[in-house]
Amino acid sequence: MEAVLIQAINRLEGILVGETEALRDGRHVDLAEISNRKNHSLLEMTRISRGLGPELMTDELQGRLGTLRDRLEENRRVLSLHMEAASEISGIIARAMKDAESDGTYAASVGGVKREQ
């Protein structure tokens, strides 16, 4: 059972590493597809580990789970940065669109001076 669980951990790590590297490199990432693959892997690991009690946890398995935890945290951090960047970009685009639609008639003055057209 341990060997099967380690194989499942390896598959999930592969997904996480691929997504993390793609996000860092600025490559296109199909987040929905990767999310489905991660969910499937986590379901697989849950099913495999149901019969695995603490007394069956070997040092190797504990080490692999520790590495997986580190990979998950790294992936979470990179995804968080990606989402923050996407939010900032969408805000910039929204402001640019709003500015492009406005003729400036009702724009607030900056520093007490009305903006020139």
Side-chain angles (χ1 to χ4, degrees), residues 74-103:
E74 179 183 21
N75 183 256
R76 184 208 59 78
R77 190 174 43 77
V78 171
L79 276 169
S80 179
L81 288 171
H82 180 75
M83 296 305 294
E84 287 175 26
S87 178
E88 286 182 30
I89 291 169
S90 66
I92 291 168
I93 292 170
R95 282 190 300 278
M97 290 173 61
K98 183 178 175 185
D99 290 347
E101 291 174 353
S102 172
D103 66 1

Side-chain angles (χ1 to χ4, degrees), residues 9-80:
I9 291 169
N10 290 340
R11 282 190 290 277
L12 179 54
E13 279 187 352
I15 295 167
L16 294 170
V17 168
E19 178 185 34
T20 301
E21 287 177 358
L23 288 170
R24 282 190 175 142
D25 295 344
R27 290 182 273 139
H28 172 73
V29 178
D30 184 347
L31 293 176
E33 189 267 333
I34 289 179
S35 179
N36 285 336
R37 290 177 59 203
K38 287 193 285 190
N39 287 335
H40 179 78
S41 287
L42 290 171
L43 177 62
E44 176 187 26
M45 286 181 54
T46 300
R47 288 179 177 163
I48 294 168
S49 64
R50 279 192 181 137
L52 187 65
E55 68 281 355
L56 299 176
M57 291 286 285
T58 64
D59 290 341
E60 180 185 1
L61 185 55
Q62 287 180 359
R64 296 298 295 126
L65 289 171
T67 300
L68 177 61
R69 182 181 54 242
D70 294 342
R71 299 253 192 234
L72 284 165
E73 175 56 28
E74 179 183 21
N75 183 256
R76 184 208 59 78
R77 190 174 43 77
V78 171
L79 276 169
S80 179

